[in-house]
Every structure is written in C-alpha cells, then in structure tokens.
Amino acid sequence: MILIIVKKLLFMIQLIDIIDELDINDDIVISYCNKVFKNTITGYKLIFTPTQINKTNKLNKYVNNYKIFFDYETVIDFDYNNCMIEYSCSILICTDEDLEELDAIDIEGDREKLNKFLYPNDRPPRVICFKGYDCSTQLIKWVCDNQITYLGKKNNRFDFVSFNGSNFDNFILLNALLRQNETDLDCELLNVSDVFYNGNQILNFKINMKHSTFDIRKHLVGSLKDCCEGFKVNMCSKLDFNHNKAQQLHEDNQLMDYIKDNKELEEYNNMDCISLAIIFKRYRDALISMPQTKKYGENLTDNKTIGGIIYNIFKDHTKDLN
C-alpha cells in the first residue's frame, strides 16, 4: 500500500520520473491526509506535507502552462442530484502565444485564418467539443491522456478558465471528477484536493495537485455577451442557441440524436470558449498596462478575484509608506 501511495505522490509532483522499483522503508509512514512521517528515536517526525507539494509546483519554472477555456451546456433533469445534466462541453487549449495570435485574428476579422488556427494541419485541434451525456468523462479522459505529455512537451499544467464557473461549470466538473470510474479511464483516477469554497461558490480546486480553475466572472461584471461588447470582441463574439429546443428534445429522449452531427451546437459551444479566451487576453493586457496591477496581470490565474487584487495593491501601498 505504501509503495502505491509513494508512486502516486511522485507522479503528482512531477519532480522525478516514476521508477518501477522502490525500496519500502518501515520507518516511513503516510497518514490519511498524505502527510509523510519518519519514525525516529524521539518519536515520529513530520518530513513532508501536501502544502509543500503545492508550493513546489508553484515554484516550478519549467512547467508548460496551458489555458483550457471550457464551457458546459446543460438541460434540467430532476432525476439527478443537482437537477442538471451536461450534454456538451467545449474546450479551447491555448498558450500565451496562441492567445496573441487569436486576438490578432479577431481584430483582423479573417474567418479562414480562424479556422486554420483552430484546426491546424500539423498538430491536434486547439478546440474540441465533447458531445453526449458522457461529455465530462470525455473531458477527464482528455486530461488523463495529455497532462503528462502534450504536443511532445512534458511537465504540463492546465488552468481551466471559465465564465461564471464558480457558480456553474466548476460544480459540474468537480462532480464529474468525484464520480470517476476506473472502468471509464485508461489511467489512474485524477486526484481532487484544495476545494476552495466562498459561500455557495467554488472558486478553485486542484486536480492532481497541479491543475486548477479560474473564473474570470469574479473579475468582470455582466454577461459573456456584455463582456464581448465591452472588450470589442468582433468576429469571435458569442452566438445564439435555442436552449428551450434542447430541453424539449431531452425530455422526449431525442437530444442525443439531435446533437450527434449538429454543427450549430458545436459552433455555439466552441465560440463561447473562443470569445472567453479573447476577453481573458484583453483583460490581462489591461492589468499589465498599469504599474499597480502589472504583476497580478502577469499571473492572472493565480489571483482568483478582483477583490484579492485590490487588497494586495493596498498591502503594497502600505508597505511602500512604511
């Protein structure tokens, strides 16, 4: 049992490669809270904690960071505990360089360039739409398949960026992670930890002690459509979709047949992620352009709320006065 836990621990923190053989030391004990103790003459000594794991990841400068802009579509179903069931989920995978390119494409208004950006010939697509009542399982499988090696690069960290996810999308993703089934995946189950509640909202949680979530709605006001107008998102602005029709089809047990090859749903769901990515980039640029908020904009996904940024600016100001 200790051998399995130690292997999993090394896997999560990505410090060294997992090896096939480990020596089991009877003096080393791991608690139910994943704290590591060593038995000494004077008693058990704490030598490692999960908090240190998180700090180690944060200080790891060679991690490849990808922003995963994600958005769920759901219908009401009172047979489920949360009265909702997801039937579509889109993700847009971007580096900082990708965001620069996407921003320029929206300003230029070239749909052909946008299509080549989203579906390049020399690599996997940047945007993916998982359709079906098992769309969350498909998303989790994608994370399993790509968190170790993505586009030939190792040591990858995913920031799952949403719009109003703290009230909606984060709940759906967290629920799916907690319902993981070993029979559905080809890898170890993803670990969930550090769930950060704020009242009835989920601001953040960690996946495998490394990937995390960020809700830009905790920084901005209005709807996604309002933000598209405010940040002048043109070609890639939010689209319209008939959610009442999807609800009726679900109640008639016809929704899966309807969405199977439905390009309208796919384009709508994908465009929510694309417009969100452009808003994220332009908001971050605005923060970076101001001296007081520059350092917070450069690490935007680590600053979960606008209130937190304001408080940190206040602390910086009082520190300068002293």
Side-chain angles (χ1 to χ4, degrees), residues 159-205:
D159 290 328
F160 289 87
V161 182
S162 63
F163 191 92
N164 200 33
S166 58
N167 290 306
F168 185 69
D169 305 87
N170 289 355
F171 282 88
I172 299 172
L173 179 56
L174 178 61
N175 185 49
L177 288 165
L178 296 176
R179 290 188 289 107
Q180 290 176 89
N181 191 322
E182 290 177 338
T183 60
D184 296 330
L185 303 172
D186 298 326
C187 65
E188 291 187 47
L189 298 185
L190 298 178
N191 173 268
V192 178
S193 64
D194 300 348
V195 181
F196 182 12
Y197 286 95
N198 179 26
N200 60 352
Q201 300 178 327
I202 300 178
L203 290 185
N204 185 32
F205 55 87

Side-chain angles (χ1 to χ4, degrees), residues 196-221:
F196 182 12
Y197 286 95
N198 179 26
N200 60 352
Q201 300 178 327
I202 300 178
L203 290 185
N204 185 32
F205 55 87
K206 289 288 185 68
I207 302 174
N208 277 7
M209 297 289 188
K210 180 163 59 174
H211 317 302
S212 61
T213 63
F214 176 80
D215 178 11
I216 200 171
R217 184 64 174 74
K218 300 303 295 180
H219 289 250
L220 305 175
V221 298

Side-chain angles (χ1 to χ4, degrees), residues 25-39:
N25 191 332
D26 291 334
D27 293 334
I28 302 296
V29 177
I30 300 179
S31 74
Y32 289 112
C33 299
N34 288 333
K35 294 182 178 180
V36 181
F37 295 86
K38 181 177 177 60
N39 190 6

Side-chain angles (χ1 to χ4, degrees), residues 1 4 60 112 115 117 131 138 184 187 209 211 242 247 300 306 316:
M1 183 64 182
I4 295 173
N60 194 346
E112 185 177 348
N115 191 62
F117 172 83
K131 290 183 285 188
Q138 296 176 53
D184 296 330
C187 65
M209 297 289 188
H211 317 302
N242 190 341
Q247 180 66 43
L300 180 54
I306 186 64
D316 293 341

